[in-house]
């Protein structure tokens, strides 16, 4: 009896320790995010804004692929819907920035609901092909609906402006993008503590059993598609304000592969995995640029960077699936276990 009581007490103390450690790490992260823009140069602020956009979109795809088990290669197309919506509203109506971003998310959500309709009948490879087909259709719309999208010339986006402050530099955009992304990540984390999140996980683990338990598959699959597309739409809106021009070539299929790679490399079905995967995959092209710059190659060597990047993305997906299917979040968990959460150890 005493042994059982001691074990229970130990587990309780360990749980409290883990909770305090997580709060400590979150406090450190918050301080780092607040202080980062005051010490970083323009290049690193540019990367920070790009990472924030990619985290938002990767988190959305992780809801669909990592937690619900539905493979999608259309995330870039949904980002395109959000970007064009924001660009059109900004150019023609001049509506507020936050309203534009929400509108971009909701319009992308409608597109996601339409694309998600086949998910009740097809899954796996067939669903992935269906989302690729949707991307092709949307790319055609972006390129040919001249009255709305501007065709191949695209739409130029004015700088975001809130309360008279123009967000026309990476430093200012950092203070807009990072809080929005943090709220989106926090919302996704809390989602899986609810009945909806648990239904997503049940569908991923075994959809037939979930249906037997009374979970309406079509409703929750469509909801997952809608949420994922909403995240992509908001990320696309931030992308529009960041690069200030939206064209059909801004959202190619390789971008969707990029986000899928980020989910796999980071670790499917975890919020931390989406963050780590997005950060890692954003830094890979920058690392390739540095490597190409260091090598004694001709000036035309940079032309091979795009195909090499595609090869690297594919190699990372295969490598992590074979050697570490749980992704970077599992590697981080092992490091924490090895050091016993130092330096916060009692």
């Amino acid at each position: 009896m005493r042994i059982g009581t001691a074990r229970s007490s130990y587990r309780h103390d360990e749980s409290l320790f883990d909770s305090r450690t997580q709060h400590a790490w979150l406090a450190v992260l918050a301080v780092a995010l607040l202080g980062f823009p005051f010490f970083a140069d323009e290049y690193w602020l540019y990367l920070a804004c790009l990472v924030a956009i990619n985290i938002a979109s990767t988190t959305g795809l992780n809801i669909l692929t990592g937690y619900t088990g539905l493979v999608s290669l259309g995330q870039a197309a949904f980002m395109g819907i959000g970007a064009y919506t924001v660009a059109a509203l900004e150019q023609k109506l001049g509506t507020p920035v936050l309203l534009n971003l929400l509108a971009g998310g909701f319009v992308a959500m409608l597109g996601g609901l339409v694309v998600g309709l086949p998910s009740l009948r097809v899954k796996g490879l067939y669903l992935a092909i269906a989302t690729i087909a949707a991307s092709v259709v949307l790319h055609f719309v972006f390129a040919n609906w001249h009255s709305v999208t501007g065709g191949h010339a695209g739409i130029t986006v004015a700088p975001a402006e809130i309360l008279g402050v123009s967000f026309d530099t990476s430093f200012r955009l950092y203070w807009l993008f990072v809080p929005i992304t943090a709220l989106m990540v926090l919302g996704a984390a809390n989602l899986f503590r609810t009945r909806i999140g648990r239904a997503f996980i049940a569908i991923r683990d075994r959809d037939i059993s979930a249906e037997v338990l009374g979970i309406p598959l079509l409703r929750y699959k469509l909801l997952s598609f809608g949420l994922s597309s909403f995240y992509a739409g908001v990320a696309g809106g931030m992308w529009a304000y960041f690069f200030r021009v939206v064209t059909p070539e801004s959202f190619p299929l390789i971008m969707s592969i990029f986000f899928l790679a980020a989910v796999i490399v980071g670790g499917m079905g975890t919020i931390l995995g989406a963050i780590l995967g997005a950060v890692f995959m954003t830094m890979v092209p920058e690392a390739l640029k540095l490597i190409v710059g260091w090598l004694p190659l001709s000036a035309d060597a940079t032309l091979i960077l795009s195909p090499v990047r595609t090869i690297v993305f594919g190699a990372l997906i295969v490598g992590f699936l074979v050697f570490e299917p749980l992704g970077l979040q599992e590697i981080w968990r092992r490091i924490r276990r090895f050091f016993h959460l130092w330096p916060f150890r009692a």
Side-chain angles (χ1 to χ4, degrees):
M1 187 69 179
R2 292 179 179 177
I3 294 176
T5 303
R7 287 178 178 174
S8 177
S9 176
Y10 173 76
R11 291 194 189 100
H12 178 68
D13 292 342
E14 188 177 28
S15 175
L16 289 175
F17 177 71
D18 289 342
S19 178
R20 291 170 182 170
T21 302
Q22 290 177 359
H23 292 159
W25 278 114
L26 287 175
V28 171
L29 177 61
V31 171
L33 290 176
L34 289 173
F36 175 80
F38 297 103
F39 298 97
D41 58 19
E42 183 66 21
Y43 172 73
W44 286 105
L45 286 171
Y46 164 86
L47 283 182
C49 292
L50 190 59
V51 164
I53 295 170
N54 290 339
I55 287 175
S57 188
T58 304
T59 301
L61 184 60
N62 199 30
I63 292 174
L64 181 65
T65 300
Y67 282 100
T68 317
L70 302 174
V71 180
S72 172
L73 286 170
Q75 196 73 351
F78 298 127
M79 283 185 66
I81 294 176
Y84 273 109
T85 301
V86 167
L89 290 174
E90 186 69 43
Q91 184 185 69
K92 298 180 179 180
L93 299 179
T95 46
V97 172
L98 298 181
L99 181 60
N100 291 343
L101 292 174
L102 285 175
F106 281 114
V107 174
M109 175 186 283
L110 293 177
L113 293 176
V114 174
V115 175
L117 286 173
S119 63
L120 184 64
R121 297 296 181 185
V122 297
K123 55 184 176 181
L125 177 62
Y126 300 101
L127 182 59
I129 293 174
T131 58
I132 293 175
S135 298
V136 173
V137 171
L138 287 171
H139 188 275
F140 178 83
V141 172
F142 296 157
N144 293 278
W145 196 2
H146 295 274
S147 61
V148 176
T149 65
H152 288 284
I155 304 177
T156 301
V157 183
E161 187 173 322
I162 299 177
L163 299 177
V165 178
S166 179
F167 291 79
D168 52 358
T169 64
S170 296
F171 178 84
R172 292 182 176 180
L173 285 171
Y174 178 92
W175 297 106
L176 176 64
F177 292 168
V178 171
I180 291 174
T181 299
L183 288 175
M184 295 172 74
V185 171
L186 182 62
N190 288 324
L191 173 67
F192 296 100
R193 300 175 182 174
T194 67
R195 179 174 57 86
I196 295 175
R198 291 192 291 270
F200 288 166
I201 295 172
I203 293 172
R204 178 197 65 189
D205 293 341
R206 188 171 291 274
D207 56 353
I208 296 177
S209 299
E211 188 174 24
V212 171
L213 292 173
I215 297 175
L217 296 186
L218 180 60
R219 180 194 304 172
Y220 282 101
K221 286 183 177 181
L222 287 179
L223 182 57
S224 181
F225 260 102
L227 286 172
S228 175
S229 302
F230 176 84
Y231 273 64
V234 174
M238 292 191 290
W239 194 98
Y241 281 122
F242 186 51
F243 289 101
R244 305 270 300 280
V245 63
V246 183
T247 66
E249 289 72 27
S250 302
F251 305 98
L253 179 62
I254 184 63
M255 183 181 284
S256 294
I257 297 174
F258 168 91
F259 290 119
L260 182 61
V263 170
I264 294 173
V265 169
M268 292 190 291
T270 63
I271 299 299
L272 178 61
I275 297 172
L276 294 178
V279 173
F280 181 82
M281 295 303 296
T282 304
M283 295 303 175
V284 165
E286 302 304 317
L288 290 176
K289 289 179 184 178
L290 290 176
I291 293 172
V292 170
W294 289 337
L295 295 177
L297 301 174
S298 64
D300 295 335
T302 55
L303 297 176
I304 68 172
L305 191 59
S306 180
V308 168
R309 181 178 62 179
T310 305
I311 294 171
V312 170
F313 285 170
L316 286 171
I317 292 174
V318 173
F320 271 87
L321 285 174
V322 173
F323 298 106
E324 186 49 85
L326 297 180
L328 292 172
Q329 63 87 23
E330 175 64 17
I331 296 175
W332 169 246
R333 190 182 66 84
R334 290 174 184 170
I335 293 174
R336 290 177 62 211
R337 182 191 299 172
F338 179 78
F339 288 104
H340 196 53
L341 305 179
W342 184 89
F344 298 100
R345 180 171 49 192

